Amino acid sequence: QVLSSVGKDAAMPPRKKARTEAGEAVASDAAEAEAEEEEEPEDFIWQWKKGKAWMTFSEEDIETLEKMWKMVDGEGSFTATLDSEGASIPFNTNLKNMMQTNMSTNKRRRVQRIVRPPPKATWQFLNDDDEWESYGEDDAEILEGSSEACAELRTKVFSFNKGYNSVYVIRFDEMTQKNMDSGTVRKLRRIPPGEEPPAL
């Protein structure tokens, strides 16, 4: 009985060790996954309010604002020189109420810091000068959504069609746009998100 007991006890450590090694492997994988997540911080943009619209700061100003934000740990206020219609002007940004004051004129405007939206596809048409011209944001959204759902789109709701009420037919298989009133046909192209337009 004693020998049997010793033999049983001697056989236990390898199984316990195996479980320990497995647990360490799982913990290691979890730690690596967490580290990978930490290596991809969220990307932010800054915007200021003009009337009812939010205007995005230039990339240079966004970099400046982000740097100052981190310096004050997102609290209190800071003053930084920003571009304003071609002029370099100092602005004080109050992070408590997210208001920005022009230090030269004392005019105030609301600002916000938001996660950078994912890039969108660019839709363009070939204009009368044989140059590629981008659709407006709302029109591009209509084209993007429709291209995923159908081969042909008939619509009057393009922003450039206000006051004309013409019917436009978009053929996604041919990548063409036709004005059914004038008969004008234009070539279209879609530039995937984050990509540069192809060389002419």
Side-chain angles (χ1 to χ4, degrees):
Q1 292 178 346
V2 173
L3 289 175
S4 176
S5 175
V6 171
K8 183 178 180 180
D9 290 343
M12 290 296 291
R15 290 199 295 272
K16 184 175 181 181
K17 182 178 181 182
R19 287 198 298 271
T20 302
E21 290 176 349
E24 290 176 351
V26 171
S28 176
D29 290 343
E32 289 179 4
E34 185 176 350
E36 288 179 0
E37 290 180 359
E38 293 177 353
E39 291 174 359
E40 298 180 359
E42 289 183 310
D43 189 16
F44 291 89
I45 63 170
W46 286 75
Q47 296 180 321
W48 56 279
K49 199 165 189 180
K50 182 178 182 180
K52 295 182 179 181
W54 285 102
M55 313 297 290
T56 302
F57 284 93
S58 68
E59 288 298 324
E60 184 177 352
D61 284 347
I62 290 174
E63 184 178 345
T64 298
L65 290 166
E66 275 297 286
K67 180 179 180 181
M68 298 303 295
W69 167 279
K70 293 173 182 176
M71 284 181 64
V72 299
D73 291 328
E75 298 179 353
S77 64
F78 60 80
T79 299
T81 300
L82 306 173
D83 179 70
S84 179
E85 298 181 354
S88 296
I89 297 175
F91 283 87
N92 178 266
T93 304
N94 186 316
L95 300 177
K96 184 176 181 180
N97 56 18
M98 293 303 281
M99 295 295 294
Q100 199 171 69
T101 304
N102 183 320
M103 303 300 287
S104 299
T105 63
N106 285 325
K107 289 184 178 180
R108 304 173 74 206
R109 63 188 182 187
R110 189 168 297 280
V111 294
Q112 65 179 5
R113 177 180 183 261
I114 62 174
V115 175
R116 185 185 296 274
K120 298 180 180 179
T122 300
W123 284 84
Q124 297 180 325
F125 62 90
L126 199 62
N127 63 24
D128 293 335
D129 297 322
D130 274 343
E131 295 178 348
W132 287 105
E133 184 175 337
S134 296
Y135 284 90
E137 185 175 345
D138 291 341
D139 298 334
E141 288 185 3
I142 292 172
L143 292 169
E144 184 71 8
S146 299
S147 68
E148 298 172 354
C150 58
E152 181 179 294
L153 168 68
R154 287 175 175 265
T155 183
K156 295 181 179 181
V157 299
F158 286 133
S159 59
F160 52 79
N161 194 36
K162 290 180 179 179
Y164 298 100
N165 207 35
S166 297
V167 174
Y168 282 86
V169 176
I170 309 298
R171 292 290 304 271
F172 294 109
D173 55 345
E174 299 176 354
M175 290 301 280
T176 58
Q177 167 192 290
K178 183 175 182 178
N179 182 318
M180 299 304 289
D181 288 347
S182 66
T184 301
V185 178
R186 299 185 187 279
K187 292 182 180 179
L188 307 184
R189 70 178 182 182
R190 177 185 182 273
I191 303 170
E195 292 189 13
E196 293 294 325
L200 296 178

